[in-house]
Amino acid sequence: MNITKPLLTKSELLKLVGIPESTFNNWFIRGFIPLKELGCVKVSFTSYKYSHLTAAYCAALSYHSGRKRSKYIEVLKSVFGGIAKEGSFPEGLTIAISSMGKGQDCGAFENYGEALRYGGNMSLYVNVGKLIKGAAEHQKLFKQQCNQK
């Protein structure tokens, strides 16, 4: 299953992720979303086709609610960039964000237990493996619907 294959329009991506268009546009303009690395393709001058990996990335990005996102975005880009290149990921992959999702400190861990050991009880834990697995399952259903039409 190639999760970096561009299949989604912007409206489908926003519906899948559950974020407002203004938030997505803000992330897009600021360069928070690495489009090429995640498998997105420019269709015309103003529109793109997005991959399901991009949907998982945006869902993970939405968990950080503070102002100091730079470190979190670096971690997300390295984790998702590795997944895009390798095509595999641990299902328990977890990212911990300090200060209940508002802090600057964060890190990626193989599983929740390891993240909890280093992050403590005042961190927010994002199960990235589950987000990516959900996006991959949605891609299968999406392809089945397209084949039936």
Side-chain angles (χ1 to χ4, degrees):
M1 174 71 47
N2 186 3
I3 197 164
T4 59
K5 187 174 182 182
L7 299 172
L8 300 171
T9 62
K10 184 177 181 179
S11 62
E12 292 166 340
L13 174 83
L14 295 174
K15 186 177 178 183
L16 178 62
V17 176
I19 58 172
E21 186 174 4
S22 60
T23 300
F24 179 80
N25 290 341
N26 185 2
W27 293 344
F28 184 85
I29 291 168
R30 291 180 178 207
F32 290 175
I33 305 169
L35 296 174
K36 288 184 181 179
E37 291 84 358
L38 297 175
C40 301
V41 175
K42 194 169 194 174
V43 177
S44 68
F45 184 67
T46 58
S47 66
Y48 282 84
K49 281 284 195 179
Y50 301 94
S51 67
H52 282 80
L53 189 60
T54 307
Y57 179 91
C58 290
L61 184 57
S62 70
Y63 279 93
H64 196 291
S65 57
R67 293 182 174 266
K68 300 177 181 176
R69 282 196 188 113
S70 59
K71 176 84 171 166
Y72 183 62
I73 291 170
E74 286 177 31
V75 170
L76 274 181
K77 285 182 179 181
S78 69
V79 166
F80 278 84
I83 292 168
K85 289 177 186 170
E86 296 173 18
S88 63
F89 61 95
E91 285 191 27
L93 181 63
T94 303
I95 296 178
I97 313 168
S98 66
S99 302
M100 298 306 290
K102 296 181 181 180
Q104 187 172 2
D105 268 350
C106 60
F109 302 94
E110 289 283 325
N111 56 47
Y112 174 74
E114 187 180 332
L116 185 62
R117 184 173 50 170
Y118 290 105
N121 61 354
M122 290 301 293
S123 294
L124 175 73
Y125 299 97
V126 182
N127 190 340
V128 176
K130 185 177 179 182
L131 291 174
I132 297 170
K133 187 176 179 185
E137 289 173 6
H138 184 272
Q139 183 177 3
K140 287 179 189 176
L141 294 172
F142 189 79
K143 281 186 175 182
Q144 288 175 356
Q145 286 177 349
C146 290
N147 290 337
Q148 289 177 354
K149 290 180 180 178

